[in-house]
């Protein structure tokens, strides 16, 4: 199975702001600059247990499933 990556565009597609995301990444001890350049595996975002992170990871997973169908 292909690794699902959460990218900055997923934050925008979920209706969230990237500026707020920067604070969210800091709160969860994740490197925002790494995220902007490379994304993070959905599992890393989901591991935070945070509702906003789960929303964005679900969007990325749904997109990946549509591409595989």
């Amino acid at each position: 199975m292909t690794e699902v990556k959460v990218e900055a565009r997923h934050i925008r597609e979920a209706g969230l702001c990237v500026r707020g995301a920067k604070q969210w990444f800091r709160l969860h001890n994740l490197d925002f600059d790494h995220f902007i350049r490379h994304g993070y595996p959905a599992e890393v975002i989901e591991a935070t247990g945070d509702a906003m992170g789960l929303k964005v990871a679900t969007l990325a997973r749904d997109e990946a499933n549509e591409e595989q169908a």
Side-chain angles (χ1 to χ4, degrees), residues 10 13-16 45 50-60 62:
H10 294 120
E13 290 170 10
L16 303 170
I45 303 300
D50 182 271
M52 288 192 301
L54 295 173
K55 178 180 180 178
V56 174
T58 297
L59 193 139
D62 289 348

Side-chain angles (χ1 to χ4, degrees), residues 6-28:
V6 176
E7 300 173 345
R9 64 186 173 81
H10 294 120
I11 290 173
R12 291 186 298 272
E13 290 170 10
L16 303 170
C17 74
V18 175
R19 175 178 273 170
K22 187 172 186 175
Q23 294 173 351
W24 185 92
F25 277 84
R26 189 177 315 121
L27 176 68
H28 293 284

